[in-house]
Amino acid sequence: MTKFQRFLLKRFAISVLLTLIAVSVIFVVLRLLPGSPFEALVTSGNLNQEQITEIRSMYGLDEPMWKQYVNYLTSLLTFQFGYSILRSQPVWTVLEPRLINSLILLVPALVTTAILSSLLGMYAGWNRGSRLEKFSIVSTTLLRSTPVFITAIGFIIVFAYNFEIVPALGMRSIRATPDSYLETFVSLDFLHHYILPFTVAVLYYSGDFLLLARNGVVEKRGSEFLKLHRAKGLTEMQQLARAGRNSMLPILTYFTLRLGMIFQGLILLEVVFSWPGIGRELVLAIQQQDYPLVQAAVFIMALAVILANLAADVLYAYFDPTVSTNGGGAT
């Protein structure tokens, strides 16, 4: 086994361990919550105690805790997430369209801001001390440090209620009845609802990419290889292109990590805009203590983060020879 293969095996084992910890924590936390998913139904008179007992048995909630835990892990390993308690549907049937709705919103926003903010950051770094650099750093840092729901509410007030340019909430109008994903996402109605949350997501992500790109170019600007290129007669833009290309590794690594964490930072964005994504569904499921739905949603999110971390580690070790696969820097 080569050194790189041992490195991959070690990182994979760590990823499996982290996934196990994440899903175990959510299993324990859910069962420590006060109340149960059936209290509201009992209070409203929709179910009696006999029916509750029957449903608890059907979902295995009357089993000992260790047996529930084993069944839970088995269901995750086989991707059989069971049935939602309150929706009476398979969990994956509930989560699949929400997951797609989230990805349709967040992935294009992340890719757009990664490209635009990185280019702007490189140009600002090359023109260090300019007004553009100061303005871009201050504005994006302000947007990044402001909670996303505050920015979202501000945009709704200005562009939806004052100027009435775009709808405030939802992913499509109430009267729309699309029969497929294509009809849903390829329509003016969807685009109209999409603009506002997409813009807020792009602005929220922009600060990190801009600073990474700007710092990378500032660091490379005085390097020997650029002096050599300058001596060869390359123009300023050609030198900037080479400096930008050599500072791409941290940006690619951060993009990979951010892609895995795409849901976590923007759950509130979906809640504010009533966007029917997996983040909003998770919040509703936690409020209703719908254990199978919460467990599956958290598992999907945790798995995305851990796989992204694994990919970032592997990419860094593969592309940067100064990074040792033993976990430290090269000697």
Side-chain angles (χ1 to χ4, degrees):
M1 185 179 288
T2 65
K3 195 174 180 182
F4 188 71
Q5 287 173 331
R6 286 199 300 273
F7 166 79
L8 282 180
L9 190 61
K10 182 180 175 184
R11 285 292 185 272
F12 180 75
I14 292 173
S15 299
V16 171
L17 179 62
L18 289 175
T19 306
L20 182 63
I21 292 172
V23 298
S24 299
V25 167
I26 193 62
F27 176 85
V28 173
V29 168
L30 278 175
R31 279 150 184 80
L32 290 177
L33 289 175
S36 78
F38 310 107
E39 280 190 355
L41 295 173
V42 173
T43 306
S44 63
N46 290 329
L47 292 178
N48 56 40
Q49 192 54 49
E50 187 179 343
Q51 290 169 317
I52 294 292
T53 304
E54 186 178 343
I55 293 175
R56 284 180 61 84
S57 174
M58 187 170 65
Y59 281 93
L61 297 175
D62 58 344
E63 300 280 358
M65 196 64 74
W66 68 267
K67 196 168 183 180
Q68 289 185 43
Y69 181 67
V70 171
N71 292 337
Y72 165 59
L73 292 183
T74 305
S75 68
L76 295 183
L77 286 174
T78 56
F79 285 85
Q80 300 296 320
F81 301 122
Y83 275 73
S84 163
I85 293 176
L86 298 178
R87 293 177 183 273
S88 300
Q89 286 182 304
V91 166
W92 185 243
T93 302
V94 177
L95 286 185
E96 183 189 8
R98 271 76 175 180
L99 179 62
I100 292 172
N101 293 342
S102 290
L103 294 177
I104 285 289
L105 171 63
L106 301 178
V107 172
L110 183 62
V111 172
T112 301
T113 196
I115 295 172
L116 296 181
S117 299
S118 298
L119 292 175
L120 179 62
M122 289 174 188
Y123 188 78
W126 192 258
N127 296 281
R128 195 175 184 188
S130 64
R131 289 183 180 178
L132 173 67
E133 185 201 23
K134 293 172 184 173
F135 174 76
S136 59
I137 290 176
V138 171
S139 57
T140 54
T141 302
L142 183 64
L143 285 166
R144 186 67 178 87
S145 57
T146 304
V148 69
F149 68 90
I150 297 290
T151 308
I153 291 172
F155 271 61
I156 288 174
I157 292 172
V158 174
F159 295 103
Y161 292 127
N162 288 347
F163 295 141
E164 298 182 355
I165 300 173
V166 287
L169 305 172
M171 197 177 75
R172 58 191 181 217
S173 61
I174 299 174
R175 287 173 294 181
T177 54
D179 293 326
S180 64
Y181 286 127
L182 187 64
E183 286 186 17
T184 301
F185 299 133
V186 185
S187 68
L188 287 177
D189 178 50
F190 172 75
L191 181 63
H192 204 200
H193 288 77
Y194 187 73
I195 292 172
L196 211 53
F198 173 80
T199 305
V200 173
V202 166
L203 293 175
Y204 179 73
Y205 288 131
S206 61
D208 297 337
F209 287 102
L210 184 136
L211 290 177
L212 273 174
R214 178 256 181 198
N215 294 341
V217 167
V218 167
E219 184 183 332
K220 296 287 185 304
R221 188 165 187 190
S223 61
E224 293 299 324
F225 85 94
L226 273 188
K227 290 178 183 176
L228 180 62
H229 286 307
R230 196 175 299 119
K232 289 179 178 177
L234 266 62
T235 64
E236 285 281 312
M237 291 307 295
Q238 288 172 325
Q239 293 175 47
L240 170 57
R242 280 163 175 74
R245 189 178 62 190
N246 282 278
S247 59
M248 284 298 292
L249 190 55
I251 297 172
L252 288 175
T253 305
Y254 181 73
F255 177 82
T256 310
L257 292 173
R258 191 70 254 182
L259 192 62
M261 298 168 64
I262 199 166
F263 304 111
Q264 282 81 350
L266 296 173
I267 287 176
L268 289 177
L269 183 75
E270 293 185 354
V271 173
V272 172
F273 283 107
S274 293
W275 190 268
I278 192 171
R280 181 168 173 266
E281 190 63 32
L282 175 61
V283 172
L284 295 174
I286 290 173
Q287 288 174 344
Q288 298 166 339
Q289 291 183 262
D290 194 336
Y291 297 157
L293 205 56
V294 175
Q295 289 168 171
V298 171
F299 173 68
I300 291 169
M301 292 180 175
L303 195 62
V305 174
I306 290 164
L307 289 178
N309 273 284
L310 177 63
D313 281 346
V314 173
L315 282 175
Y316 221 106
Y318 185 79
F319 286 109
D320 189 350
T322 64
V323 175
S324 166
T325 50
N326 286 325
T331 57

